[in-house]
Amino acid sequence: MNKKIISAFVLMAGASVCLLTHLFHIPAVQAAEGEGKLVYIIPVEKEVERGLEAFLQRTTQEAAEENADHIVFEIDTPGGRVDAAGQIAEMLQNVEIPTTAFITNEALSAGSYIALNTDNIYMKPQATMGASGVINSDGTAADKKAQSAWIASMKSAATSKDRDPLYAEAMANPAIDLPEYGAPEGEFLTLGPTMAVEVGYAEAVVNHRTELLAKLGLQGAELVETETTLAEEIARFLTNPVVVPILLSLASIGLIVELYSPGFGIPGSIGLLSLVLFFYGHIVAGLAGYEAIILLVLGIIMIIVELFVPGGIIGLLGIGAVVGALFMSSADMGHMAMSIGIALIVSIIVSVILFKTIGLEKGFFKNIILKDATTTEQGYVSSINRLDLIGLEGKSLTMLRPSGTAVFNDERLDVVTEGAFVEKDSPVKIVKTEGSRIVVRQIKNHLTQEDEK
């Protein structure tokens, strides 16, 4: 009798579990599906720039090496650089591991482009994606050529993952009229989670990561949460388009101020540190190689040599080498040219201010600029001014036209008249001396006396 009661109890308990699982959708099977699998969680946060690209390259490669079964990109970014987004998109298209974009807050501009290049998109209830118009670094709209290329990239990203390209185009092209989705003509499309699911851009709306993993059949999988290293964080900051011109300006200002300062001190240290930080960030981000560093060092050496060797050619080559190293470290030539231009303008302004306030009497310039003068007060004269000759009378040895030679008290002198021509053997008188210039005048009265004789 007791065995029957126990068996009946076990059957009732099993039936209850099955009923509860069916009513409340307890994902018992899904948990089993995720066991033994490896999922990489990679954050895509802050601005999209080349530092983020380097981080994503490293983490996706690490996921591939560890044979991960899935990669989840948790996206919360306002967008950023188009070139960096393009490189990230190319990387995502080549990843053989299934990828999912989990938009936790916003995926705007370049962020939406990154999301469109993943296999699946899930969104939190408050998340948004879109508003992907391409603009220049100064905030103005990009030219038509750049806009056309960006729109084509957005459409291609959507098409590559079997999504309707119309909505991707509307995110980047305000000419597309979609008033039913809150984007009438003249405005960029921004999708909320409900609309994203409706148009097929998002698979579902989820509240948290656990729910997302359940939707993907990865509940119970081993999670590897990646983080940016300190070096990568520094690189992301240093390669920011706003920070680059600031670093170059600080470098130029520090080195210029150092020329007006005695010895080598704080200004020069700040200048060198700014230059080192610029190249450090770009090397960590994978933008600069050691060939750029070698070119920079050679340029600096040539500039230093120019300070001690006359000519100017070595200095020009040195400046060209430094500028070349900067361009070699940049993925955007236009932005680098603008950054160098800003640093140059700032340098000129600082140089003018320092020259007017300090002059060239202090710092490095005092060692290379000759300030000594050979004045008359110190006994230095370019030629002797023989005032003792004034009033002496003599005779011209040659014809004075108006210069020539005359003799005074048996001393031959080079003389010049006041302008008139004087015949040879004519009596003359010294009327003025100006250094080596001796001015004479013909003695006409004496000529008259001679004629009378």
PDB file of all heavy atoms in Angstrom, residues 265-281:
ATOM      1  N   GLY A 265      63.216  73.010 -19.677  1.00  0.00           N
ATOM      2  CA  GLY A 265      62.348  72.912 -18.515  1.00  0.00           C
ATOM      3  C   GLY A 265      60.968  72.399 -18.832  1.00  0.00           C
ATOM      4  O   GLY A 265      60.761  71.557 -19.706  1.00  0.00           O
ATOM      5  N   ILE A 266      59.985  72.964 -18.131  1.00  0.00           N
ATOM      6  CA  ILE A 266      58.600  72.490 -18.208  1.00  0.00           C
ATOM      7  C   ILE A 266      58.003  72.632 -19.606  1.00  0.00           C
ATOM      8  O   ILE A 266      57.376  71.689 -20.107  1.00  0.00           O
ATOM      9  CB  ILE A 266      57.743  73.214 -17.158  1.00  0.00           C
ATOM     10  CG1 ILE A 266      58.232  72.852 -15.751  1.00  0.00           C
ATOM     11  CG2 ILE A 266      56.273  72.858 -17.315  1.00  0.00           C
ATOM     12  CD1 ILE A 266      57.506  73.556 -14.643  1.00  0.00           C
ATOM     13  N   PRO A 267      58.140  73.793 -20.284  1.00  0.00           N
ATOM     14  CA  PRO A 267      57.516  73.915 -21.618  1.00  0.00           C
ATOM     15  C   PRO A 267      58.008  72.859 -22.603  1.00  0.00           C
ATOM     16  O   PRO A 267      57.213  72.228 -23.305  1.00  0.00           O
ATOM     17  CB  PRO A 267      57.919  75.324 -22.065  1.00  0.00           C
ATOM     18  CG  PRO A 267      58.201  76.063 -20.813  1.00  0.00           C
ATOM     19  CD  PRO A 267      58.792  75.058 -19.890  1.00  0.00           C
ATOM     20  N   GLY A 268      59.317  72.646 -22.652  1.00  0.00           N
ATOM     21  CA  GLY A 268      59.856  71.646 -23.562  1.00  0.00           C
ATOM     22  C   GLY A 268      59.410  70.244 -23.203  1.00  0.00           C
ATOM     23  O   GLY A 268      59.130  69.421 -24.089  1.00  0.00           O
ATOM     24  N   SER A 269      59.321  69.965 -21.901  1.00  0.00           N
ATOM     25  CA  SER A 269      58.867  68.644 -21.459  1.00  0.00           C
ATOM     26  C   SER A 269      57.427  68.396 -21.875  1.00  0.00           C
ATOM     27  O   SER A 269      57.069  67.295 -22.319  1.00  0.00           O
ATOM     28  CB  SER A 269      59.004  68.522 -19.933  1.00  0.00           C
ATOM     29  OG  SER A 269      60.345  68.699 -19.537  1.00  0.00           O
ATOM     30  N   ILE A 270      56.582  69.431 -21.736  1.00  0.00           N
ATOM     31  CA  ILE A 270      55.179  69.301 -22.146  1.00  0.00           C
ATOM     32  C   ILE A 270      55.090  69.069 -23.651  1.00  0.00           C
ATOM     33  O   ILE A 270      54.290  68.245 -24.123  1.00  0.00           O
ATOM     34  CB  ILE A 270      54.381  70.554 -21.738  1.00  0.00           C
ATOM     35  CG1 ILE A 270      54.279  70.637 -20.210  1.00  0.00           C
ATOM     36  CG2 ILE A 270      52.994  70.550 -22.366  1.00  0.00           C
ATOM     37  CD1 ILE A 270      53.615  71.895 -19.710  1.00  0.00           C
ATOM     38  N   GLY A 271      55.909  69.789 -24.413  1.00  0.00           N
ATOM     39  CA  GLY A 271      55.895  69.620 -25.861  1.00  0.00           C
ATOM     40  C   GLY A 271      56.294  68.220 -26.289  1.00  0.00           C
ATOM     41  O   GLY A 271      55.616  67.585 -27.101  1.00  0.00           O
ATOM     42  N   LEU A 272      57.378  67.719 -25.709  1.00  0.00           N
ATOM     43  CA  LEU A 272      57.831  66.360 -26.047  1.00  0.00           C
ATOM     44  C   LEU A 272      56.838  65.308 -25.584  1.00  0.00           C
ATOM     45  O   LEU A 272      56.576  64.327 -26.287  1.00  0.00           O
ATOM     46  CB  LEU A 272      59.197  66.096 -25.417  1.00  0.00           C
ATOM     47  CG  LEU A 272      60.391  66.784 -26.088  1.00  0.00           C
ATOM     48  CD1 LEU A 272      61.675  66.450 -25.345  1.00  0.00           C
ATOM     49  CD2 LEU A 272      60.509  66.349 -27.546  1.00  0.00           C
ATOM     50  N   LEU A 273      56.256  65.518 -24.390  1.00  0.00           N
ATOM     51  CA  LEU A 273      55.278  64.559 -23.873  1.00  0.00           C
ATOM     52  C   LEU A 273      54.046  64.496 -24.779  1.00  0.00           C
ATOM     53  O   LEU A 273      53.517  63.407 -25.040  1.00  0.00           O
ATOM     54  CB  LEU A 273      54.869  64.945 -22.450  1.00  0.00           C
ATOM     55  CG  LEU A 273      53.817  64.046 -21.783  1.00  0.00           C
ATOM     56  CD1 LEU A 273      54.356  62.617 -21.669  1.00  0.00           C
ATOM     57  CD2 LEU A 273      53.433  64.587 -20.410  1.00  0.00           C
ATOM     58  N   SER A 274      53.600  65.643 -25.259  1.00  0.00           N
ATOM     59  CA  SER A 274      52.437  65.684 -26.159  1.00  0.00           C
ATOM     60  C   SER A 274      52.732  64.920 -27.443  1.00  0.00           C
ATOM     61  O   SER A 274      51.878  64.177 -27.951  1.00  0.00           O
ATOM     62  CB  SER A 274      52.059  67.131 -26.479  1.00  0.00           C
ATOM     63  OG  SER A 274      51.727  67.845 -25.311  1.00  0.00           O
ATOM     64  N   LEU A 275      53.945  65.094 -27.955  1.00  0.00           N
ATOM     65  CA  LEU A 275      54.323  64.396 -29.189  1.00  0.00           C
ATOM     66  C   LEU A 275      54.418  62.889 -28.940  1.00  0.00           C
ATOM     67  O   LEU A 275      53.973  62.076 -29.773  1.00  0.00           O
ATOM     68  CB  LEU A 275      55.660  64.936 -29.681  1.00  0.00           C
ATOM     69  CG  LEU A 275      55.940  64.877 -31.188  1.00  0.00           C
ATOM     70  CD1 LEU A 275      54.856  65.576 -31.968  1.00  0.00           C
ATOM     71  CD2 LEU A 275      57.297  65.485 -31.494  1.00  0.00           C
ATOM     72  N   VAL A 276      54.975  62.510 -27.792  1.00  0.00           N
ATOM     73  CA  VAL A 276      55.088  61.088 -27.450  1.00  0.00           C
ATOM     74  C   VAL A 276      53.705  60.474 -27.283  1.00  0.00           C
ATOM     75  O   VAL A 276      53.442  59.354 -27.762  1.00  0.00           O
ATOM     76  CB  VAL A 276      55.917  60.913 -26.160  1.00  0.00           C
ATOM     77  CG1 VAL A 276      55.810  59.482 -25.646  1.00  0.00           C
ATOM     78  CG2 VAL A 276      57.377  61.268 -26.415  1.00  0.00           C
ATOM     79  N   LEU A 277      52.781  61.197 -26.614  1.00  0.00           N
ATOM     80  CA  LEU A 277      51.422  60.685 -26.415  1.00  0.00           C
ATOM     81  C   LEU A 277      50.699  60.507 -27.743  1.00  0.00           C
ATOM     82  O   LEU A 277      49.959  59.530 -27.937  1.00  0.00           O
ATOM     83  CB  LEU A 277      50.633  61.630 -25.511  1.00  0.00           C
ATOM     84  CG  LEU A 277      51.026  61.636 -24.036  1.00  0.00           C
ATOM     85  CD1 LEU A 277      50.237  62.697 -23.279  1.00  0.00           C
ATOM     86  CD2 LEU A 277      50.788  60.265 -23.410  1.00  0.00           C
ATOM     87  N   PHE A 278      50.910  61.444 -28.662  1.00  0.00           N
ATOM     88  CA  PHE A 278      50.274  61.341 -29.975  1.00  0.00           C
ATOM     89  C   PHE A 278      50.673  60.036 -30.658  1.00  0.00           C
ATOM     90  O   PHE A 278      49.820  59.259 -31.115  1.00  0.00           O
ATOM     91  CB  PHE A 278      50.660  62.532 -30.844  1.00  0.00           C
ATOM     92  CG  PHE A 278      50.232  62.397 -32.279  1.00  0.00           C
ATOM     93  CD1 PHE A 278      48.963  62.791 -32.677  1.00  0.00           C
ATOM     94  CD2 PHE A 278      51.097  61.868 -33.231  1.00  0.00           C
ATOM     95  CE1 PHE A 278      48.556  62.655 -33.993  1.00  0.00           C
ATOM     96  CE2 PHE A 278      50.701  61.730 -34.557  1.00  0.00           C
ATOM     97  CZ  PHE A 278      49.429  62.123 -34.933  1.00  0.00           C
ATOM     98  N   PHE A 279      51.972  59.773 -30.722  1.00  0.00           N
ATOM     99  CA  PHE A 279      52.434  58.574 -31.423  1.00  0.00           C
ATOM    100  C   PHE A 279      52.150  57.311 -30.623  1.00  0.00           C
ATOM    101  O   PHE A 279      51.876  56.259 -31.212  1.00  0.00           O
ATOM    102  CB  PHE A 279      53.926  58.699 -31.741  1.00  0.00           C
ATOM    103  CG  PHE A 279      54.202  59.573 -32.921  1.00  0.00           C
ATOM    104  CD1 PHE A 279      54.551  60.902 -32.747  1.00  0.00           C
ATOM    105  CD2 PHE A 279      54.092  59.093 -34.213  1.00  0.00           C
ATOM    106  CE1 PHE A 279      54.792  61.724 -33.839  1.00  0.00           C
ATOM    107  CE2 PHE A 279      54.332  59.896 -35.308  1.00  0.00           C
ATOM    108  CZ  PHE A 279      54.676  61.219 -35.129  1.00  0.00           C
ATOM    109  N   TYR A 280      52.173  57.397 -29.308  1.00  0.00           N
ATOM    110  CA  TYR A 280      51.839  56.225 -28.490  1.00  0.00           C
ATOM    111  C   TYR A 280      50.407  55.780 -28.760  1.00  0.00           C
ATOM    112  O   TYR A 280      50.141  54.594 -28.988  1.00  0.00           O
ATOM    113  CB  TYR A 280      52.022  56.547 -27.010  1.00  0.00           C
ATOM    114  CG  TYR A 280      51.498  55.457 -26.092  1.00  0.00           C
ATOM    115  CD1 TYR A 280      52.226  54.294 -25.876  1.00  0.00           C
ATOM    116  CD2 TYR A 280      50.265  55.597 -25.453  1.00  0.00           C
ATOM    117  CE1 TYR A 280      51.745  53.296 -25.044  1.00  0.00           C
ATOM    118  CE2 TYR A 280      49.767  54.603 -24.625  1.00  0.00           C
ATOM    119  CZ  TYR A 280      50.507  53.457 -24.425  1.00  0.00           C
ATOM    120  OH  TYR A 280      50.022  52.461 -23.609  1.00  0.00           O
ATOM    121  N   GLY A 281      49.480  56.732 -28.728  1.00  0.00           N
ATOM    122  CA  GLY A 281      48.075  56.396 -28.969  1.00  0.00           C
ATOM    123  C   GLY A 281      47.862  55.805 -30.339  1.00  0.00           C
ATOM    124  O   GLY A 281      47.109  54.836 -30.506  1.00  0.00           O
TER     125      GLY A 281
END
